[in-house]
Structure formats: structure tokens, C-alpha cells
Amino acid sequence: MKSKQSPSRKRPCVAEALAKEIFSGTYQPGDFVPREVDLCERFALNRSAVRSDLRQLVDAGIIERISGHGSKVREYPEWNILDAQVTEWMTRYAAPNPGVQREILAFRLDVEPYVAMTAAKHATAHDLVAIEEAFNGMGSDLDDTTVNRDGRLHSDYDIAFHVAIFKATHNIVWSQLSHILRPSILLLIETSNVSASDPAESLERHRSLMESIRARRPRDAFRASQAVLAGTASALGLEIPDTPLGYSAELLSET
Amino acid sequence: MKSKQSPSRKRPCVAEALAKEIFSGTYQPGDFVPREVDLCERFALNRSAVRSDLRQLVDAGIIERISGHGSKVREYPEWNILDAQVTEWMTRYAAPNPGVQREILAFRLDVEPYVAMTAAKHATAHDLVAIEEAFNGMGSDLDDTTVNRDGRLHSDYDIAFHVAIFKATHNIVWSQLSHILRPSILLLIETSNVSASDPAESLERHRSLMESIRARRPRDAFRASQAVLAGTASALGLEIPDTPLGYSAELLSET
DNA sequence: CGCTGGCATATGTCGAACATTTCGACAAGG
DNA sequence: CCTTGTCGAAATGTTCGACATATGCCAGCG
């Protein structure tokens, strides 16, 4: 017999549990999380395991360990939101503050048309397959239940669609950036109950984007991506303080 | 008396030492790094400390730990190059393969004009101070020795200049992205022995960019940033396979 | 021939002890 | 009264040794 009371579960992840509490506001920037010994007691783990998990939070820039004093939650701007694990937690446990989400959204509105453009230039047959599969998933989901059964399936396909386009750029930076955009994509989808706007219309915009990439027409892809973003954003009555459509619109019109 | 033979040095960082060997090619993707026990012996550390440091490499996506088998170096595309620590190592120990550096450079050429544009819209007085201080550092360095004494000082100011512009966007994503561009900036500066082109001319381009941001003229900042990048790139006879100047040039001309 | 069981190896976890750093309290001294 | 030095409590950092678990290999057996 082990000393652990529950031999079934693999191991409780202290990092995840703590991250959940931090993200939900139980511990805020400046606060100190419980001592290592207390965490050991809470999760029935050894200090080694606890410290190992805590290390992950340190690497993510979420907490700062002060020798002999404790572990302090760092300020939001210091969090490494470009870390895939951090954005994973973001998708699960809401954003720490809405401001971050809005900034990520603004970033998307700025760059995604470019990404679509680059994808149209570099996409291979393999990339197109991935894009098309995601698109078909979105379509079938809509066909099945007119809307979507639980929101999960459709959002998964939607995310896969956008991520596939990022990967089609064949640029490692863009590809990895797709991870951090997942919380934003998910937020948009969940907030704007897709049925709010016309689902078929949204699907048609996505199709147009896909076809532009397939036909290798960068400028069409650029505009199609703008349309997709604008459609989604307006569907939930969302407005970005400034640069509503990124710099692109301005550039296109002024010149 | 301690059990350690060298009480002077703080502690050897296994993660850093291993990263150096991995980045320099001693261990390549697919290879297995030495066992934990061997690493303990090599660095005269305990397994706990070694494992703690190894955890950092895992979080960075550089190695993958297979229980009961060993720690394997992951493929380059799986490395989390958006991690600040990874790019820090990149700047110190050259890139694992030139392809990654070129992709990062391509990314810069694509987005930096945008960043400059956004900075011109959102920069505060505080941001302008940071930009100006970096610029003055570049200038004084050139004035002092006509070129630069060791390349370190000038490159530091150059990096600070670009980073300050990223931060001036007041967008957390752009701000954090500035970290990953540091290796690229450093590479450009070091490769293109600044004296190769006209230093004064390069400085003038930077000044133009700074002034455009100060005057809050986004479109001028956009073009000034393009000029800076083009100047640096052409100075070292560097050519990017496609999209030499990003999508921007194409957009500006066609429309 | 294929499956299965055990064995070796290396990582994963555990527990206790000691070292080091930090902060705060308290007393001596200016 | 304020400053300063020292001590001690508290928490993190490090070390050691042992056991648990997962993986791969190979021999033995049906």
C-alpha cells in the first residue's frame, strides 16, 4: 500500500491548481501564495514535486520566488503570455483581467490579414488539407444542429481553421504565435453565441478566405481575412478603441 | 567546511550549460542528453538541482523527458522560441540553424513597420524618452570612436531603440514580442559590421523614424521603419527569398 | 512464430536533514 | 530619539539516500 490516499489519479498538478486560483483572482499580483510546506499538505505531495511545479509558474513569469520570504504573484505585464502553457490556462480559467484579452484581440485584428496573405503565398497542398478539414468540420457542425450542440466542437474547428492558416505561413514565429491567439479565438466564439449573427454568412466568409488561399491570391486572402474578423467582431457588438481594423484599412485607402 | 570543493561560485546552472551545448550542436534533435546521474557528477550537483534545471529546458520545449528512457532533444520547430529565456540563449550561443534566424528576420521585416506605425499612434511622453535615450546612445557611440569600440555598446543601444518602439505600442503582445527579436537585431548588427555601410546614414534613418513617432505621424513612421530595415538588410547584402519588404510595399503600390 | 514474463535502466517521487537568505525584534550606543 | 549591530524566526535553496514507476529489451514458453 502506498502512502498516497488515491492511487488512481496520476498526480495532482500543483502548477495547474495554483494557476487556476491565480487566474480567477484568489491570489492577485503582489500577493504571496501559500508556503511550500502548506502546498505539500494541501496536495499531499512532497516538497520536491511542489517545487518542480512551482518552477513552471516561475518560468511562465507568473510568480517570483524570493529566497527566505515566499513566492509572490508578479504583475500582469510581466507574465509571459507568449508561453503556450499560459495561454492554455487562459482558455480554461478566463483571463486575469479583460484588458489583456482586448489587447490580444487588437493584435489579432492587426496581424491576421497579413498572416492570411502570407499563407496564400506559401501554403502547400498539405496545409490546404488541414485548412479544408477544419473548414468542413465547421460546416458539418452547422449542418448537424443548425447551430452547434455544445459550442465545443464548433469552436475547436474554428480554432483549428485559424491555426492552420498560421502554420501555412511556414514561418516559425507566426506558427508559434497561433498558440497564443487561441484564447482570443475561443473568447470571440463563446461570447458571440454564433447564432447571434447569421451562421451561414460567417461560414461563407471563412470559405472565401480558404478559397483565396487555395487560389494563391494574397490580396484576396488579405481582404477575406479582414471580412472574417470584422464579421466576428461586429457579431458580438465588439468595438476596439482604436485601429478598428488594423492599419491595413488605412493603408489601403490612403494610398 | 562544506562538501563542495569550490565555495566561491554561486552554483553552476545546468540548464544554461546544457543549452549551450545543444545550441552549439553538441546534442542535436533526436539525441539524448546525458543521464541525470551523469549530469550530477559533471556539475557536482544533486539530482534535485539537476532536475530542477532540466525542468526549465522542458518548459522551453527544448528537451522532452521520457520516463525510464532519458531526455531527448526535440525538433527545432517544437522549441518555444517565443520564450524569453530561449532567445536569450540564442543571442549568446548562435542559432541552432541559420534557417530559424532567417525566419525570425523575415518576421521582423514583415511586422516592424506596423509596430512603428502603432507606436506613432500610442506613444506617450515616457515612451519617447526611452526611444530618445537609446537613440542618443547610438549617436554618442558613433561620435566617440567613429565606429564603435567593441560592438557591444552600440548594439545594446540599437536593441534598446527597437525594443522601446515595441513597448510604445502599449500592446502586451507586441511588447513581449520585442524580446524574441533581440537575437535577430543582434545578428544583423554583428554581421553587418556597421561600418560597412555609412554609419551616419543609418543613424539618420533611425532619427527619421524617431521623429515620425514623436510627431505622431503613423504613415511616416511606417515608411521610416521600412527604410531602417532596408538599410540594415542591404548593408550586409542580405536578401530574403520572398516578400523582401514585407507585404506592405505590395499593398502600398498596388492600391 | 508470436506472445508474455521478467530484468535492467532511467526517470519520478518521497522524506528528512542542513544551508542560506530575508525580515523583524531587540538591545547597545551615539 | 534615532541609528546600528546582532540575534533568531521563517521560508526558500540544496543535499542525501531510498523506493516507486515506466520503458525497452530479451529470453522463455505456449
Side-chain angles (χ1 to χ4, degrees), chain A residues 22 25-34 61-64 66 69-79:
Chain A
I22 293 175
T26 305
Y27 302 110
Q28 295 185 352
D31 292 352
F32 280 78
V33 300
I62 295 178
I63 67 174
E64 175 188 11
I66 307 172
H69 191 50
S71 298
K72 187 173 62 176
V73 179
R74 303 178 73 178
E75 300 296 325
Y76 294 125
E78 303 189 86
W79 291 14

Side-chain angles (χ1 to χ4, degrees), chain B residues 70-190:
Chain B
S71 298
K72 187 173 61 175
V73 179
R74 303 178 72 178
E75 300 296 326
Y76 293 126
E78 301 189 87
W79 292 14
N80 190 1
I81 66 165
L82 269 48
D83 184 298
Q85 182 66 76
V86 172
T87 62
E88 178 73 19
W89 288 330
M90 265 185 165
T91 57
R92 259 207 289 278
Y93 318 115
N97 59 7
V100 173
Q101 284 286 10
R102 215 180 51 205
E103 287 184 26
I104 294 178
L105 179 59
F107 180 81
R108 273 189 69 198
L109 293 174
D110 281 351
V111 305
E112 267 194 54
Y114 275 127
V115 173
M117 198 179 204
T118 314
K121 290 180 182 172
H122 296 59
T124 65
H126 187 269
D127 300 324
L128 291 172
V129 169
I131 295 173
E132 188 163 351
E133 279 181 358
F135 177 79
N136 289 335
M138 296 172 63
S140 71
D141 188 75
L142 286 179
D143 287 5
D144 279 354
T145 68
T146 309
V147 190
N148 53 5
R149 24 184 181 278
D150 57 357
R152 283 277 299 160
L153 281 182
H154 180 74
S155 64
D156 281 350
Y157 286 124
D158 203 331
I159 290 176
F161 182 80
H162 288 265
V163 169
I165 293 178
F166 272 81
K167 287 196 187 301
T169 61
H170 288 266
N171 181 295
I172 190 173
V173 183
W174 286 125
S175 297
Q176 300 218 17
L177 271 175
S178 66
H179 295 318
I180 82 158
L181 300 183
R182 284 180 50 192
S184 173
I185 298 174
L186 194 61
L187 177 72
L188 271 191
I189 297 169
E190 287 180 345

Side-chain angles (χ1 to χ4, degrees), chain A residues 173-240:
Chain A
V173 184
W174 286 126
S175 297
Q176 301 218 16
L177 271 175
S178 65
H179 294 317
I180 82 156
L181 301 183
R182 284 180 49 193
S184 173
I185 297 174
L186 194 60
L187 177 73
L188 271 192
I189 297 169
E190 287 180 346
T191 307
S192 75
N193 200 331
V194 176
S195 61
S197 81
D198 187 354
E201 195 176 327
S202 168
L203 192 65
E204 201 50 41
R205 279 191 285 262
H206 282 79
R207 176 193 298 279
S208 172
L209 172 54
M210 177 178 69
E211 293 299 341
S212 297
I213 294 174
R214 187 202 308 279
R216 301 199 183 290
R217 291 158 72 175
R219 298 187 66 246
D220 289 346
F222 187 98
R223 292 218 169 81
S225 177
Q226 284 187 317
V228 168
L229 290 169
T232 316
S234 73
L236 46 80
L238 172 32
E239 59 176 340
I240 305 301

